[in-house]
Amino acid sequence: MLHEDFDVPSLGRFVLGRLSQIMTAQEQQEFLGLFENYVVATYSDRLSEYFGNGAAPRVIGSRLDLDGVIVSSEFYGGSWPSTAGAIRVDWRLTRHDGTYKISDVIIDGLSMAVNGRAELEGVAERNGWQPRAILALMRQESASALLR
């Protein structure tokens, strides 16, 4: 699902943001490769928490966004129609090559893309804006995510 339905390259470029200015093209390519492994493992873990119990999201609405559309859904901890323990998940969809792909997942108001960018910028700032620190973190995160 993640490889087919998510726009991982665009998500990676968004998360990298202004940090791309301090990286060579080769470092950016390494980052994007590591980021893809990290996202697949992390999003799989996170989304399996909701899909794991056989629950499917219930679409509750949609709205236009600057680059596409946001589809709002809810996952329920119990059985429908009970809304106890409902978790709101918004899916940001952007159009690429004639199809829509997921470019962000917003869980209970927390954008995974924005959160990832903030975390990465924090790592860069704490390490003197050195690309090797960012890549070292991504190697570590990618490896640990794949071991889960």
Side-chain angles (χ1 to χ4, degrees):
M1 175 181 133
L2 287 167
H3 285 288
E4 291 178 20
D5 298 328
F6 279 73
D7 185 2
V8 176
S10 291
L11 179 59
R13 286 189 297 276
F14 175 84
V15 169
L16 189 56
R18 65 187 175 129
L19 298 177
S20 65
Q21 297 171 7
I22 65 169
M23 291 183 158
T24 66
Q26 184 178 0
E27 289 169 332
Q28 289 178 40
Q29 283 303 112
E30 181 181 357
F31 172 84
L32 293 173
L34 292 166
F35 182 78
E36 181 170 352
N37 293 337
Y38 173 74
V39 165
V40 167
T42 302
Y43 277 43
S44 294
D45 283 351
R46 192 71 193 260
L47 294 175
S48 70
E49 293 174 22
Y50 307 119
F51 287 110
N53 63 0
R58 178 174 166 257
V59 174
I60 58 172
S62 63
R63 64 188 184 279
L64 292 177
D65 188 42
L66 291 175
D67 298 323
V69 66
I70 295 177
V71 176
S72 298
S73 64
E74 287 182 335
F75 286 84
Y76 299 96
S79 59
W80 175 253
S82 170
T83 59
I87 297 170
R88 171 119 179 214
V89 179
D90 291 335
W91 310 82
R92 184 181 309 275
L93 304 170
T94 51
R95 191 172 175 91
H96 292 280
D97 300 325
T99 62
Y100 283 92
K101 295 221 174 206
I102 300 166
S103 58
D104 193 9
V105 178
I106 305 157
I107 301 173
D108 276 340
L110 178 64
S111 163
M112 293 185 80
V114 172
N115 190 51
R117 179 185 271 188
E119 286 180 21
L120 199 60
E121 286 181 351
V123 167
E125 186 175 0
R126 288 188 300 278
N127 290 282
W129 299 96
Q130 295 296 314
R132 67 179 178 270
I134 297 164
L135 292 172
L137 171 74
M138 289 308 298
R139 286 185 204 109
Q140 178 184 351
E141 292 291 328
S142 181
S144 67
L146 292 173
L147 292 175
R148 286 187 227 140

